[in-house]
Amino acid sequence: MQATFPAEPQMSATAEEEAYRHVQRALRFGRYKPGDRLIPEEIAAEIGMSRMPVREAFRRLASDGLVVLRPNRGCVVAGLTVDELYEIFEIRSVLEGLAVRLAMPRIDEEEFEELDRLLERMERAGQSGSSDWVVRHQEFHGRICALSRRPKLIHQISALHAVIEPYMRIWFDDCDKPHSAREEHAAVIAALRSGDELQAEKVMQDHILSTAPILAEFVSPSR
Amino acid sequence: MQATFPAEPQMSATAEEEAYRHVQRALRFGRYKPGDRLIPEEIAAEIGMSRMPVREAFRRLASDGLVVLRPNRGCVVAGLTVDELYEIFEIRSVLEGLAVRLAMPRIDEEEFEELDRLLERMERAGQSGSSDWVVRHQEFHGRICALSRRPKLIHQISALHAVIEPYMRIWFDDCDKPHSAREEHAAVIAALRSGDELQAEKVMQDHILSTAPILAEFVSPSR
DNA sequence: TTGATGATACGTGGATACAAAAATACTTTA
DNA sequence: TAAAGTATTTTTGTATCCACGTATCATCAA
């Protein structure tokens, strides 16, 4: 329903939808910096529509936490404080932990091979320095979430990914190594293979929480 | 930021905000039934404004999952399937579980007394058959969540409460007894007093999951 | 009677226009 | 020169307007 997790087909039907996707995409790719003002008229001109659908899109983006809307003061790109970033990772940890737990019974051998493939692709993207490591990484997490077969859960997790994506990109661009990502994700797969749902849930939680402090380096220090 | 959890002060600044609160309130109190169409013009007339702010409010309400917006087909009150209801309770269980875990270190004796008071109030409302048992119940959960001091977490949980509130009201109206609610909530307090964070988290999770099947009786059978 | 077909009315999405508020630049004065 | 107040320009918030899509209902054929 929203927030391109691994990928999203579906042609935009309404102008509002188009504006929503357009701005969301721009935000996720870091085209605007936190604090930047988004001027409805400019964006409307970019996509060739009037301000109205753009304004409506802003409401949804604000609900997603991607922008902040203040009365009579317009729309500014949301920035995260360190606290907020940690909070998002705490929430992600329990949500994706739940997803893993629910996904486990659904994973057969074929699916394990797919996960291995995704891990491999992520690794290759990481080594080649290509910044679609971020995309691959989300693809991996997204695949597991999808297996939980819980639309609302998937939706919420994907919204959180959208919020942190810009920081993931900065992180990746800054230090070329995707750190110990390979082992961590391999551990998730291993835990899934073990068949112990609670154990797998915990491994995913730990994995997510472990990356929070790393990303925290990249949020603007004070505000 | 949204979704009246225990209560919400703050006068509405913009017309959109007013429309949002107005419709949300109506939905939570069950004034409209699932499947009902919400016609912007009518609602606009009710509050004395034009359709535009109402339409914008619809976008947010759709993000909250309270209504469904389909292109060229307007705004319809969202209804829950049994699956969706269970899913919401699964999500609530991990989210409120997290909230309990994070809240625990913040609770002092004074706070425990407050929780006891809230439990007592909920009980009284339940016995008097007053339907603000639902409000008291949310107040209780909301208090614990608030203690976690995590704004986004609180926001998400409160949004989920808003979605299920109509069903809680139907449940309460239908069978006058608030079932074993008292014991369940007392157990949460007891677990909090024990000081074992993981135990308290689990008690809250179990409490929430246990009410799902009861409420499931009240969602429209098929669709 | 039932199912297809077309006309009509209603509602939605989007654009434009206008008023109010905020931000900015400018002038005046101490 | 700096500060304060004023005027101008932007930009936001809301209302009105128009074109198109959808649903409803009546008509007609099977």
Side-chain angles (χ1 to χ4, degrees):
Chain A
M1 188 169 284
Q2 174 239 29
T4 329
F5 205 13
E8 202 157 337
Q10 188 178 168
M11 218 15 208
S12 61
T14 72
E16 187 273 346
E17 184 70 18
E18 193 182 340
Y20 177 76
R21 290 182 194 281
H22 177 92
V23 177
Q24 191 197 50
R25 197 179 149 83
L27 290 170
R28 293 178 65 161
F29 281 74
R31 188 178 133 196
Y32 304 109
K33 299 273 161 272
D36 283 1
R37 284 182 62 182
L38 295 183
I39 293 150
E41 211 147 20
E42 289 179 9
I43 292 163
E46 272 178 36
I47 348 183
M49 66 180 66
S50 87
R51 289 163 33 203
M52 205 56 61
V54 177
R55 279 182 48 116
E56 291 180 20
F58 283 173
R59 299 284 178 197
R60 275 209 283 166
L61 292 164
S63 257
D64 297 342
L66 292 173
V67 302
V68 176
L69 241 39
R70 294 216 318 263
N72 289 321
R73 202 158 299 191
C75 180
V76 299
V77 178
L80 291 178
T81 64
V82 175
D83 285 350
E84 287 170 334
L85 185 110
Y86 272 98
E87 191 185 347
I88 286 176
F89 275 77
E90 285 170 340
I91 296 173
R92 268 190 67 206
S93 75
V94 296
L95 252 29
E96 296 202 35
L98 173 63
V100 164
R101 173 154 47 95
L102 297 171
M104 175 165 304
R106 310 239 185 205
I107 310 186
D108 54 13
E109 189 48 42
E110 186 185 1
E111 192 55 46
F112 275 123
E113 284 166 19
E114 176 64 18
L115 287 175
D116 286 334
R117 256 195 306 279
L118 289 175
L119 179 59
E120 195 50 48
R121 251 204 279 180
M122 182 170 92
E123 182 66 9
R124 274 206 307 278
Q127 280 169 350
S128 75
S130 152
S131 88
D132 53 312
W133 178 82
V134 176
V135 175
R136 300 296 166 218
H137 178 254
Q138 284 194 11
E139 218 167 58
F140 181 85
H141 280 261
R143 183 81 186 193
I144 294 175
C145 290
L147 288 166
S148 73
R149 296 276 196 285
R150 297 292 195 280
K152 288 173 191 290
L153 181 61
I154 293 168
H155 177 267
Q156 291 207 2
I157 293 171
S158 102
L160 294 177
H161 274 269
V163 174
I164 58 177
E165 179 164 335
Y167 298 93
M168 295 284 278
R169 289 183 182 277
I170 297 172
W171 170 38
F172 187 83
D173 288 348
D174 192 83
C175 56
D176 46 3
K177 289 190 199 320
H179 83 306
S180 56
R182 203 217 157 78
E183 292 84 51
E184 295 238 350
H185 292 96
V188 170
I189 297 184
L192 277 167
R193 273 213 157 88
S194 81
D196 182 341
E197 292 175 8
L198 292 179
Q199 172 63 14
E201 180 176 18
K202 175 136 185 47
V203 169
M204 179 57 99
Q205 286 186 1
D206 291 344
H207 158 55
I208 290 171
L209 291 177
S210 78
T211 68
I214 304 173
L215 233 60
E217 302 287 325
F218 297 94
V219 313
S220 50
S222 61
R223 188 197 154 58
Chain B
M1 188 173 283
Q2 175 237 28
T4 329
F5 206 13
E8 202 156 338
Q10 188 178 166
M11 220 12 210
S12 61
T14 71
E16 186 273 345
E17 184 72 17
E18 195 183 339
Y20 177 77
R21 290 180 194 279
H22 178 90
V23 178
Q24 192 197 49
R25 196 179 150 83
L27 290 170
R28 294 179 64 160
F29 280 74
R31 189 179 132 195
Y32 303 109
K33 299 273 162 271
D36 284 0
R37 281 184 65 181
L38 296 183
I39 292 149
E41 205 146 20
E42 289 178 10
I43 293 163
E46 272 178 36
I47 349 183
M49 65 179 66
S50 88
R51 288 165 33 199
M52 205 56 63
V54 177
R55 281 185 43 175
E56 292 180 19
F58 282 173
R59 299 283 177 197
R60 273 208 284 166
L61 292 164
S63 257
D64 297 343
L66 292 173
V67 301
V68 175
L69 242 38
R70 291 208 329 252
N72 290 321
R73 205 161 299 190
C75 181
V76 178
V77 177
L80 291 179
T81 64
V82 176
D83 284 350
E84 287 170 334
L85 184 110
Y86 272 98
E87 190 185 347
I88 287 177
F89 275 77
E90 286 170 340
I91 297 173
R92 267 191 68 205
S93 75
V94 297
L95 251 28
E96 295 202 36
L98 172 63
V100 165
R101 173 153 47 96
L102 296 170
M104 175 166 300
R106 311 239 185 206
I107 309 185
D108 53 14
E109 189 47 41
E110 187 184 1
E111 193 54 48
F112 274 122
E113 285 167 19
E114 176 64 20
L115 287 175
D116 287 334
R117 256 195 306 277
L118 289 175
L119 178 61
E120 197 50 46
R121 252 203 280 180
M122 181 170 92
E123 182 66 8
R124 274 205 307 276
Q127 280 170 349
S128 76
S130 152
S131 87
D132 53 310
W133 177 82
V134 176
V135 175
R136 299 296 166 219
H137 178 253
Q138 284 194 12
E139 217 167 60
F140 181 84
H141 280 261
R143 184 79 185 193
I144 294 176
C145 289
L147 289 166
S148 73
R149 297 274 197 286
R150 298 291 195 279
K152 288 173 192 291
L153 181 61
I154 294 167
H155 177 267
Q156 291 207 359
I157 292 170
S158 102
L160 293 177
H161 274 269
V163 174
I164 57 177
E165 178 163 338
Y167 298 92
M168 296 284 279
R169 290 183 182 277
I170 296 171
W171 169 39
F172 187 84
D173 288 348
D174 192 83
C175 56
D176 47 3
K177 287 191 199 322
H179 84 305
S180 56
R182 203 218 157 76
E183 292 84 51
E184 295 239 351
H185 291 96
V188 171
I189 297 184
L192 277 167
R193 272 213 158 86
S194 80
D196 181 342
E197 293 174 8
L198 292 179
Q199 172 63 14
E201 180 176 17
K202 176 141 185 43
V203 169
M204 178 59 97
Q205 286 185 0
D206 291 344
H207 158 55
I208 290 172
L209 290 178
S210 76
T211 68
I214 304 172
L215 234 60
E217 302 287 325
F218 299 93
V219 313
S220 50
S222 62
R223 182 185 164 63

